[in-house]
Amino acid sequence: MLTGVAVAGGFVLDAVFGDPAWLPHPVVWMGRCISALEKRLRAVLPKTPRGELLGGGIVAAVLPLATLAVTGTVCTLAARLHPLAGLAVQLFWCAQALAARGLVQESRNVYKELAKGDLPAARRAVARIVGRDTENLTAEGVTKAAVETVAENASDGVIAPLFYMLIGGAPLALTYKAINTMDSMLGYKNKEYLYFGRCAAKLDDAANWLPSRLAALLWVAAAALAGGSAKGAWCIWRRDRHNHASPNSAQTESACAGALGVQLAGPAYYFGAYYDKPTIGDALRPIEAEDILRADRMMYTESVLALIIGLAVRFALMM
């Protein structure tokens, strides 16, 4: 019962307050641990594909297990001290595991600059939330990048951590965040991380496989409730959900593109290198800045649906 209350309370805390910059965040500490482990392992292991695979595998095993052990121990000790103390710790960490408010804030910063017609400022704003090169993006390119980010992060920033915290509370949700953080730092297919980051990338693919597909289906339902096209979301998801190098990233992007009736993805530059990525969706109309706000509404709608359904299933199983 207390875990369900912590999940619901954490969801509300994130929706109201987001992640204040002054408050220490577990992901920051995870990032520092990843960097320290990588530096140490690269120094002692052979600089060969096998050595880098081993080093990356050690990081991919140590960080999630250590996260689960530390957070699980803290939650258990707090609960033994007093049930309300255990609830407080779980509630706080559940809020930190979610990123809905932050995602909306950052994407709306992009929208505000586009609405003012300040393209350089819009490029700088979108650069905070995407990995691609942004200095030469058109207004259309900036808008696409922001919408894609909202759609993709609806899965790994909201639905996936919510999925895991409904199963195992804050400890399992933060363990998922550790896996996701490893992938964001190490999961590149470039010379530096082709081997070292492979285990982290594969683990992230596995952790996101089911949540990303649930997120896509929830987006279809959210489209019907938030002014999008549920039929378009369903059809484009069915057709384009695999139009990405990742098995998971195009799941929500395709549903979002279909719900809005726009075309997303396509070629992009990353660190100066050109990538000929496939498109997602049909350009039934030109994309516009207001599509960022529409994507935000659908993201929040599917998040609320996920919370309600998840809590209902959890409580039903407990009866």
Side-chain angles (χ1 to χ4, degrees):
M1 178 65 74
L2 287 181
T3 296
V5 173
V7 172
F11 186 92
V12 172
L13 280 180
D14 173 67
V16 175
F17 299 107
D19 290 316
W22 55 267
L23 195 63
H25 200 285
V27 168
V28 174
W29 294 101
M30 292 170 188
R32 291 175 181 173
C33 290
I34 292 166
S35 296
L37 281 169
E38 178 186 359
K39 182 178 180 180
R40 178 60 179 166
L41 289 166
R42 284 189 184 275
V44 299
L45 291 173
K47 294 176 174 55
T48 62
R50 181 175 294 181
E52 291 188 0
L53 275 172
L54 176 60
I58 292 172
V59 176
V62 167
L63 187 72
L65 291 174
T67 300
L68 184 62
V70 170
T71 57
T73 299
V74 171
C75 288
T76 300
L77 292 176
R80 287 180 180 176
L81 183 65
H82 194 282
L84 290 180
L87 174 62
V89 172
Q90 286 240 33
L91 192 151
F92 177 66
W93 273 344
C94 282
Q96 289 194 309
L98 297 168
R101 176 65 182 267
L103 183 57
V104 167
Q105 287 176 326
E106 293 290 347
S107 61
R108 289 192 177 182
N109 287 339
V110 179
Y111 168 77
K112 290 175 184 177
E113 301 301 342
L114 288 170
K116 291 189 297 185
D118 192 342
L119 182 56
R123 288 168 175 162
R124 291 192 295 271
V126 83
R128 291 170 51 88
I129 55 175
V130 301
R132 74 193 66 182
D133 299 344
T134 62
E135 59 270 16
N136 295 316
L137 288 179
T138 62
E140 178 185 4
V142 169
T143 306
K144 279 188 175 183
V147 171
E148 289 167 23
T149 298
V150 171
E152 182 176 352
N153 284 280
S155 177
D156 58 19
V158 185
I159 303 303
L162 189 57
F163 173 82
Y164 285 107
M165 73 176 65
L166 283 163
I167 296 172
L172 195 59
L174 290 176
T175 300
Y176 166 77
K177 295 297 288 186
I179 294 170
N180 194 240
T181 303
M182 285 192 304
D183 180 62
S184 67
M185 293 181 65
L186 308 177
Y188 296 102
K189 293 182 179 179
N190 56 24
K191 183 178 180 181
E192 185 176 5
Y193 290 109
L194 181 61
Y195 296 103
F196 196 93
R198 186 171 297 177
C199 289
K202 295 297 184 184
L203 184 59
D204 185 73
D205 286 345
N208 279 296
W209 194 92
L210 180 56
S212 67
R213 284 149 181 81
L214 293 174
L217 294 174
L218 286 166
W219 197 291
V220 174
L225 297 172
S229 170
K231 180 180 179 182
W234 172 259
C235 292
I236 297 300
W237 173 67
R238 292 283 298 167
R239 190 190 74 187
D240 292 350
R241 66 189 187 276
H242 298 305
N243 285 8
H244 199 285
S246 163
N248 304 316
S249 293
Q251 298 291 328
T252 44
E253 281 187 45
S254 57
C256 179
L260 293 173
V262 300
Q263 190 174 80
L264 300 176
Y269 284 87
Y270 294 83
F271 305 106
Y274 177 80
Y275 289 83
D276 189 19
K277 298 165 62 179
T279 58
I280 295 173
D282 294 326
L284 303 181
R285 61 174 179 82
I287 196 167
E288 57 187 10
E290 284 72 18
D291 287 319
I292 298 173
L293 304 184
R294 295 178 185 119
D296 285 340
R297 284 196 296 271
M298 286 188 280
M299 183 276 294
Y300 252 132
T301 301
E302 81 154 357
S303 301
V304 173
L305 286 173
L307 177 67
I308 293 171
I309 296 170
L311 289 175
V313 170
R314 180 180 175 86
F315 290 145
L317 293 174
M318 291 173 60
M319 293 178 65

